[in-house]
Amino acid sequence: MLFGVPMRLLPPGRRPLSPGSRAGLGAALVLLALVSAIELADGSEARYIGLIVAAPFLAAAFASWRVVLGVGVLATAVGGAFALAGRENRLANATIVVGIGLATAIAAAVAVIRERQAERIAELSRLASVAQQAVLRPLGPQVGTLAVAGRYISATAAADIGGDLYEALDTPYGVRMIIGDVRGKGLDAVRLASIVLGSYRHVAYERADLRAIVADLDRAVARSVGDEDFVTAALVEERGGTLTIVNCGHPAPLLLRRGEVIPLEPPAPAPPLGFMPVVRPRVERLEPGDRLLLFTDGLGEARREGEFFPTADRAWRLLGHGTVGDGLASLETALVEWVHGRLDDDIALVLMEYAGARPVTAAAVPSWEVGAPEN
């Protein structure tokens, strides 16, 4: 019967201590225990109770203000007990005990300020993530005839926010993709990325030529930024197995074909969006099973001890297996392991796979139409 009765380990409405509070409480209790052991070993006179004043401040560095107050009360009681047990320097010892009480009040105030700042940072981080997700919509798993996956790797653990952008759309002119990188970081970069993506999501359905899309995006960027701001971008179109790429100062996409990795460099270099780029398309014929990796320069700049991540050497082994989502997950794992978890820049990744041309199906003929086959 005892095991059938629900048991509450905590009073109703009380939450367990956070890891930070447990760490602060543990450190403060260890300090109190050490000082108490030293005082007991030294004799009857209280010579080291002044060290107890550090206990509430030690707790304030990690724990909540309630835990700090509890530690302060305990520290004051321990200090008072040793002060009363001493026969000499009673006034000095009493002053130290009062100081422990004042230190407790100050430490509790510090803990309150720290907690409010932590809450504000957490809220800003949450808002930044919401803004990032509003700009970068999830990709795939299928866009037109292509299997597509996208991934955003933030260099900052506190917030996934930056100026890297990507999109994939199934348009009347084929599947069109863009990947880009806004100069700078923070909300200004997200604002410019949203402008570029908003313009692209409109003109990708309206313009038959990728060069016209580049001109439209260049004007949108030029109207929205200063003289030193720009956006590197690569635009890709797949139509009937034909791949067309235009590049505006962006890292060249990598074509993965039968175990080989082929950088698709542009026929001629062009400046980023915002500097009136004049682009020349590169056209490739795709084969079933081909994969194309689009990425921002954060991948090319990832390094450890001065050695850059060997993207081209390891791309096929990492990206050539499983689904396109599996490939990007493997690439991210290898990359984070290579840099020991410390990236200098955000990274946007898009991986697509071409399975073959879409089969042509004959239009259905209504049964009442003359010449329709009979069932």
Side-chain angles (χ1 to χ4, degrees), residues 27-354:
L29 292 179
V30 168
L31 177 62
L32 290 176
L34 288 175
V35 174
S36 299
I38 293 172
E39 285 287 0
L40 293 174
D42 187 61
S44 59
E45 294 301 326
R47 294 187 176 90
Y48 305 101
I49 60 173
L51 298 175
I52 295 177
V53 74
F57 287 108
L58 189 59
F62 306 99
S64 66
W65 65 269
R66 293 181 178 85
V67 174
V68 173
L69 284 181
V71 168
V73 171
L74 179 60
T76 303
V78 172
F82 281 112
L84 291 175
R87 299 178 183 178
E88 301 176 0
N89 301 322
R90 290 182 177 271
L91 179 60
N93 291 337
T95 302
I96 292 174
V97 173
V98 172
I100 295 173
L102 292 176
T104 299
I106 296 172
V110 170
V112 169
I113 295 173
R114 180 186 53 77
E115 284 185 299
R116 288 179 178 175
Q117 290 178 339
E119 290 174 358
R120 187 168 185 271
I121 292 173
E123 180 66 14
L124 290 175
S125 177
R126 188 186 67 82
L127 291 176
S129 297
V130 171
Q132 188 81 30
Q133 293 168 7
V135 172
L136 297 179
R137 301 183 300 197
L139 295 185
Q142 194 78 19
V143 180
T145 60
L146 303 179
V148 180
R151 209 169 188 91
Y152 192 98
I153 307 173
S154 177
T156 306
D160 295 334
I161 185 167
D164 293 16
L165 58 97
Y166 53 74
E167 181 60 287
L169 302 171
D170 188 9
T171 75
Y173 308 102
V175 176
R176 286 177 164 176
M177 295 179 287
I178 185 175
I179 190 163
D181 189 358
V182 177
R183 178 181 179 271
K185 294 182 180 295
L187 292 178
D188 288 339
V190 173
R191 180 185 63 84
L192 182 53
S194 67
I195 291 173
V196 173
L197 286 175
S199 299
Y200 176 76
R201 287 163 181 160
H202 172 71
V203 299
Y205 290 94
E206 304 295 331
R207 301 287 186 262
D209 194 330
L210 289 180
R211 289 170 292 188
I213 297 178
V214 169
D216 290 336
L217 296 181
D218 178 68
R219 287 191 291 270
V221 172
R223 288 193 297 264
S224 306
V225 301
D227 295 336
E228 298 181 356
D229 295 324
F230 57 84
V231 180
T232 67
L235 284 74
V236 177
E237 175 186 286
E238 184 279 323
R239 187 175 187 180
T242 299
L243 186 71
T244 305
I245 304 171
V246 294
N247 197 314
C248 305
H250 199 78
L254 299 179
L255 177 63
L256 285 70
R257 173 178 291 168
R258 297 193 302 269
E260 297 183 5
V261 179
I262 307 168
L264 300 182
E265 300 287 349
L273 299 174
F275 292 150
M276 302 178 64
V278 177
V279 295
R280 290 179 56 189
R282 173 164 181 165
V283 180
E284 296 283 338
R285 188 66 187 173
L286 291 175
E287 300 177 3
D290 283 354
R291 290 189 173 188
L292 185 72
L293 175 66
L294 309 175
F295 57 94
T296 54
D297 59 4
L299 178 60
E301 296 173 356
R303 59 186 179 271
R304 65 178 182 194
E305 300 174 356
E307 186 177 0
F308 291 95
F309 181 74
T311 303
D313 295 338
R314 303 180 65 179
W316 177 261
R317 188 165 67 253
L318 294 171
L319 300 171
H321 68 90
T323 66
V324 288
D326 295 335
L328 288 186
S330 297
L331 176 58
E332 180 180 0
T333 301
L335 178 65
V336 172
E337 181 181 355
W338 177 272
V339 299
H340 303 301
R342 295 187 297 271
L343 290 170
D344 296 328
D345 195 7
D346 295 353
I347 301 172
L349 302 170
V350 176
L351 183 63
M352 74 88 167
E353 181 178 9
Y354 175 71

